Each structure stands twice: as C-alpha cells, then as structure tokens.
C-alpha cells in the first residue's frame, strides 16, 4: 500500500521540472522531498490523492506476478526434468563403463 503514495510523490516531484524551465526558478519548486510532497498533496487534495492509480497498479502487479509464477514453474519443471534425464544417462553410462572395464581386467 506504500507503493502508490510513493509513486504519486515521485511523479509530482519529477514533473515539476522541464527542460524549458527558467534556471532561477529551480530553487523555488513546490515539492522539495518525498515527505514534504506527501504532506502537501494530502493537505491540498486530501489523503485519497496519494492513492490515485491504485487499481491500475494492483491490476498490473497481479498480471505481472501471474506471468512470473507461471514462467518460474514451467522453467523449474523443465530444468528438473532435464537434470533427471542427464542423471539417468550418466548412471547408465557409468554402469556400462564399469561392466566393460571389469570384464577386460579379468581377461588379462
């Protein structure tokens, strides 16, 4: 729940500057830091203004996490199957190599 107020403050602070701004006005900005910005926004527009955009943010994060978990689980299953297959192949090769080596030693 702290992400949205922090985003609102960050955007407010960033958007007060622009490339055509008179350099003498840079020191007289409205928003100076995150805490001061949050207090000013809450005072002027109400606490609800700090939570503008909370629904789209939640939807975005929900979709993001769904994709992340799906990709993670798919990748994990594939990796474990690959490791299992390689382990079985190594054990099979080791078994064949030991049998042929023992047979040749007995012949000598």
């Amino acid at each position: 729940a702290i992400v949205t107020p922090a985003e609102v403050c960050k955007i407010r602070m960033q958007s007060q500057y622009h490339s055509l701004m008179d350099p003498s006005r840079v020191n007289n900005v409205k928003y100076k830091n995150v805490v001061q910005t949050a207090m000013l926004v809450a005072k002027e527009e109400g606490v609800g203004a700090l939570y503008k955009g909370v629904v789209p943010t939640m939807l975005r994060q929900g979709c993001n996490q769904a994709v992340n978990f799906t990709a993670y689980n798919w990748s994990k299953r594939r990796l474990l199957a690959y490791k299992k297959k390689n382990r079985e192949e190594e054990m099979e090769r080791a078994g064949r190599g030991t049998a042929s080596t023992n047979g040749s030693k007995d012949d000598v």
Side-chain angles (χ1 to χ4, degrees):
I2 195 151
V3 173
T4 304
E7 283 289 312
V8 168
C9 293
K10 180 189 80 161
I11 291 167
R12 297 282 179 105
M13 290 174 66
Q14 288 175 336
S15 65
Q16 68 185 343
Y17 298 106
H18 55 81
S19 60
L20 300 176
M21 185 176 204
D22 182 10
S24 65
R25 291 186 48 213
V26 171
N27 293 331
N28 299 326
V29 292
K30 183 175 182 178
Y31 305 115
K32 297 177 182 4
N33 59 51
V34 176
V35 175
Q36 183 264 347
T37 301
M39 298 293 280
L40 192 58
V41 169
K43 180 182 172 185
E44 291 180 349
E45 302 173 41
V47 177
L50 292 171
Y51 289 91
K52 285 183 180 174
V54 72
V55 173
T57 299
M58 288 171 41
L59 291 173
R60 182 188 70 220
Q61 285 303 104
C63 294
N64 182 25
Q65 292 306 314
V67 169
N68 282 341
F69 285 134
T70 302
Y72 172 79
N73 284 328
W74 180 84
S75 299
K76 182 178 175 182
R77 280 196 309 271
R78 295 288 304 249
L79 180 63
L80 290 174
Y82 175 78
K83 284 183 172 183
K84 182 179 178 183
K85 180 181 173 189
N86 279 351
R87 202 173 321 121
E88 290 171 353
E89 288 174 356
E90 284 179 18
M91 290 176 72
E92 187 178 309
R93 279 191 299 256
R96 281 187 299 203
T98 305
S100 64
T101 305
N102 287 341
S104 62
K105 283 184 180 178
D106 291 338
D107 291 341
V108 176

